[in-house]
Amino acid sequence: MYSPAMATRIFSWASKSRPISFRACCNSCSRIAMTSANQPLLQKLFTPEYSGAGSLPHMAFPPPSDAVNRICVVISDIHCTDGTVGNQSGEGDDWQRFFQDLRLACRDHDELVLVLNGDIIDLVRSAAWTEAGVYPWDRDHARFAELVNAILDGIIRLHATPFGLFGQHGFFEQLKRLRPLLQADGTAVRIIPIVGNHDKELLLVASARQRFYRDCLGWTDSEQETGYRDWIAAMYGAGKADEPPWLPFYFGDRGFKLFATHGQWRDNSNSRAQPGWRAGQGWHPGTWQGLGFSPFTAACFGDTVAAGLLSGFIHDTKRQLRQLDVTRHPVNARAITRLNHILDEMDLYRPAVAGIVRILQEARLQRGKGVDEALLQLISGNFRASLRRWLAQPVSWRSAPAKLKLFLPVLALLGRIKADRITLGIMKLMAKVQEPQTGIGTLQLLALPGFQKAYREEGFRIHTEGHTHVPLEADLQFEQPADQPNYSYINTGAWRSQIMPKQNYGYRRRGVGRALYVYDRLDPATASRRFGYYLRDAISWCERSDWGGGAA
């Protein structure tokens, strides 16, 4: 039974821009309308007035909105999966509270822009790949598109169908129910579904992409109108808009002073080095256009770990545990129940390798409790088999970052020998190397596009990303432009639980759901534009978990 306790922290910033008269506001709206009527939209996307093309070549932003009072909400890393290797997303109560807060925040606003900043769904973490023997990097296989659609079937069933998620409404179902309520309140809704590294397969399979727009986001064909399609075509440097359009790689809005992108472009495990670019070389949209954005559509090392090692190990081990006869051995029955709980939650550890460390540790702990050795050998034997299968894939070696390539020959050896203690030690070391950042340095911040001079001159003051699953915030100051001294970096973390160690021993499932709220509205008292932003962190604990036993 799910019983969350919710806590909320709010961070806020606010400022007033220069006063404008009502006449000036009307003139601005008229100018926008005239441009829309007399200028092709694709050309408009690149004109300096709207896109900043003079100082930001190779960039394209959506046409400006004429709504008077606007609010933007950004969340990321929802990770809606098909449930075959556990549920990674937030749960029904989490989403109900989020959408209740969202509706309240939209009061007295003409427009909501909801930015889903990458990894909205997760097409990599699924047992379907292992069962078929076809993987996310097998792009030319005859069954690739079929499997992407089959995984999407499971995602729709859990997260976009009434009462699909443990008897509650999942994220997409709640989103689809909220939209008509907001529209009845007078708030137009615009959704920006930015692509991440776990949903990039949508860019490769048009039928799945169309179903995602329709069945998950609830879009009608009219919402994929020419403006949206041409914006996407301009972003990717395409000659024409695809049918259906790709998901955007970034989003920028001058009214909100906001620049958003998922963040995988900074990660050499979840982007793929190509001739002319690798992750350490930073933000280069012009180079990416020339490469067809292949660094972010090609299979990466993170795919091989998630689908080739972790998901396969979870699937095979659970299948074999189900086949065991435990009716005559209650100790074994308790151990199997516990191991199944841990397997269901293995993918909630960060980094992912830490989940493997957890299950190997648990197998060692069970040895002293009268559990059959054969049952425990099933765990270590399946892990060795998964290692061999993973490392038999050439892409695992080709895509590995340099520092992780040092581990692969050692892991290949461990896949062939029975040395559980050594295996556990090596996996602990690998988990340590892959630990996510718990902070961000000044040089890293200065390399982000939102803080580069050309972007600051275009009015951007907030750079937001996700990807790391670690909620962070930091502030910067620049001398130029002189009238905009304050800049903020915000990482929205992940709307998914993680398994955290308890203070004395054991583990607990806990999540932090973070949302960034930005508003751009007209202050009727002063006839000036008012801009501000705040964060809302919802911390939840879940009882539907591994119920915490075992030494930390």
Side-chain angles (χ1 to χ4, degrees):
M1 181 176 181
Y2 181 67
S3 175
M6 305 296 292
T8 300
R9 297 184 292 159
I10 299 178
F11 308 83
S12 65
W13 300 260
S15 68
K16 285 187 178 181
S17 59
R18 61 178 177 82
I20 60 172
S21 67
F22 181 73
R23 180 184 299 275
C25 180
C26 289
N27 287 342
S28 174
C29 292
S30 298
R31 186 173 66 252
I32 292 168
M34 265 190 351
T35 305
S36 298
N38 300 323
Q39 191 174 19
L41 184 53
L42 188 56
Q43 181 182 350
K44 182 174 74 173
L45 290 165
F46 281 112
T47 58
E49 181 178 359
Y50 294 103
S51 71
S55 58
L56 297 177
H58 310 294
M59 298 295 291
F61 302 116
S65 169
D66 59 0
V68 176
N69 297 312
R70 308 167 66 219
I71 186 168
C72 177
V73 179
V74 185
I75 61 175
S76 70
D77 296 88
I78 303 169
H79 285 275
C80 294
T81 68
D82 64 0
T84 55
V85 290
N87 176 56
Q88 279 77 46
S89 79
E91 300 187 5
D93 286 346
D94 298 326
W95 296 126
Q96 183 177 4
R97 287 174 172 82
F98 168 72
F99 284 112
Q100 287 172 345
D101 288 343
L102 183 58
R103 188 179 183 191
L104 288 173
C106 288
R107 286 183 176 176
D108 302 320
H109 288 88
D110 308 316
E111 182 181 57
L112 164 68
V113 179
L114 177 61
V115 179
L116 307 178
N117 198 9
D119 287 356
I120 309 161
I121 62 175
D122 196 321
L123 294 164
V124 178
R125 291 184 170 99
S126 173
W129 301 112
T130 300
E131 290 175 346
V134 179
Y135 294 95
W137 48 89
D138 293 327
R139 305 294 175 71
D140 296 329
H141 196 283
R143 294 195 63 195
F144 176 77
E146 171 197 334
L147 288 168
V148 169
N149 274 293
I151 295 167
L152 186 59
D153 284 341
I155 293 170
I156 292 169
R157 185 169 56 252
L158 283 179
H159 305 278
T161 303
F163 306 105
L165 189 64
F166 310 114
Q168 297 177 295
H169 301 321
F171 173 79
F172 294 120
E173 177 63 21
Q174 303 231 27
L175 173 61
K176 289 186 289 185
R177 289 169 179 259
L178 176 73
R179 295 189 71 188
L181 297 177
L182 288 177
Q183 289 163 350
D185 294 340
T187 303
V189 179
R190 186 156 57 113
I191 301 173
I192 307 294
I194 293 175
V195 70
N197 52 293
H198 281 264
D199 46 19
K200 62 181 177 289
E201 288 75 18
L202 288 175
L203 304 187
L204 305 173
V205 183
S207 57
R209 194 162 66 245
Q210 183 63 55
R211 295 175 64 214
F212 170 75
Y213 279 125
R214 183 191 65 219
D215 298 333
C216 293
L217 300 185
W219 282 21
T220 62
D221 289 340
S222 63
E223 288 179 279
Q224 298 174 35
E225 43 80 32
T226 303
Y228 180 82
R229 294 173 188 274
D230 286 350
W231 168 46
I232 300 302
M235 175 184 298
Y236 287 103
K240 64 180 182 63
D242 279 350
E243 302 283 342
W246 277 23
L247 278 63
F249 192 79
Y250 58 81
F251 170 74
D253 188 290
R254 290 172 183 75
F256 295 126
K257 308 181 191 300
L258 173 76
F259 189 85
T261 188
H262 180 61
Q264 75 276 40
W265 61 276
R266 299 201 296 123
D267 181 355
N268 60 4
S269 288
N270 287 293
S271 59
R272 187 76 176 269
Q274 302 288 332
W277 185 85
R278 54 182 173 78
Q281 293 175 327
W283 180 263
H284 287 284
T287 300
W288 300 337
Q289 283 185 359
L291 294 169
F293 276 74
S294 60
F296 315 109
T297 59
C300 59
F301 184 71
D303 295 341
T304 74
V305 174
L309 176 60
L310 194 60
S311 294
F313 171 68
I314 295 170
H315 169 264
D316 290 348
T317 305
K318 287 180 69 68
R319 176 175 53 81
Q320 292 181 33
L321 287 175
R322 285 195 299 269
Q323 294 171 353
L324 293 178
D325 181 8
V326 297
T327 56
R328 293 178 295 177
H329 202 314
V331 174
N332 280 359
R334 287 193 296 270
I336 289 172
T337 299
R338 178 164 180 72
L339 290 169
N340 273 316
H341 274 290
I342 296 171
L343 287 165
D344 281 340
E345 299 186 334
M346 271 185 64
D347 209 21
L348 300 180
Y349 291 82
R350 280 292 169 270
V353 174
I356 293 173
V357 171
R358 172 79 173 94
I359 195 75
L360 295 177
Q361 284 179 324
E362 184 63 31
R364 293 192 66 198
L365 287 170
Q366 292 292 335
R367 278 196 168 90
K369 299 181 179 181
V371 175
D372 282 351
E373 183 65 21
L375 191 158
L376 304 179
Q377 285 299 320
L378 182 151
I379 301 293
S380 57
N382 268 331
F383 175 63
R384 288 192 297 273
S386 297
L387 270 182
R388 292 193 297 271
R389 181 173 56 208
W390 173 47
L391 294 174
Q393 299 286 340
V395 68
S396 299
W397 298 81
R398 290 197 302 263
S399 63
K403 67 180 181 180
L404 293 177
K405 281 183 178 176
L406 299 174
F407 287 93
L408 299 189
V410 178
L411 293 176
L413 179 62
L414 293 178
R416 287 169 169 78
I417 62 173
K418 294 182 179 181
D420 292 350
R421 189 183 298 270
I422 297 174
T423 299
L424 181 57
I426 294 295
M427 298 310 293
K428 283 183 177 180
L429 182 59
M430 190 171 174
K432 184 71 175 176
V433 170
Q434 290 187 286
E435 279 184 352
Q437 64 181 29
T438 55
I440 185 167
T442 303
L443 291 179
Q444 291 174 298
L445 288 170
L446 294 176
L448 298 174
F451 303 134
Q452 294 174 12
K453 185 173 183 292
Y455 290 77
R456 300 198 313 269
E457 289 175 345
E458 290 296 327
F460 295 112
R461 293 173 57 183
I462 308 168
H463 181 101
T464 184
E465 65 180 2
H467 183 63
T468 66
H469 294 195
V470 179
L472 297 171
E473 60 278 338
D475 293 294
L476 289 171
Q477 181 161 324
F478 297 95
E479 293 184 0
Q480 296 295 330
D483 61 341
Q484 294 185 8
N486 297 315
Y487 297 81
S488 295
Y489 165 80
I490 296 166
N491 191 306
T492 46
W495 278 82
R496 55 179 287 178
S497 297
Q498 295 189 36
I499 302 300
M500 307 296 293
K502 294 180 180 176
Q503 193 69 23
N504 52 354
Y505 67 92
Y507 296 83
R508 186 72 188 273
R509 184 170 179 157
R510 187 172 76 219
V512 178
R514 166 171 282 200
L516 167 63
Y517 292 75
V518 188
Y519 56 84
D520 168 32
R521 55 185 177 236
L522 181 67
D523 187 341
T526 61
S528 64
R529 301 301 302 173
R530 185 164 180 81
F531 157 78
Y533 50 106
Y534 62 92
L535 290 174
R536 192 178 291 274
D537 287 349
I539 306 172
S540 63
W541 290 263
C542 179
E543 296 295 341
R544 194 184 58 80
S545 72
D546 139 22
W547 25 270

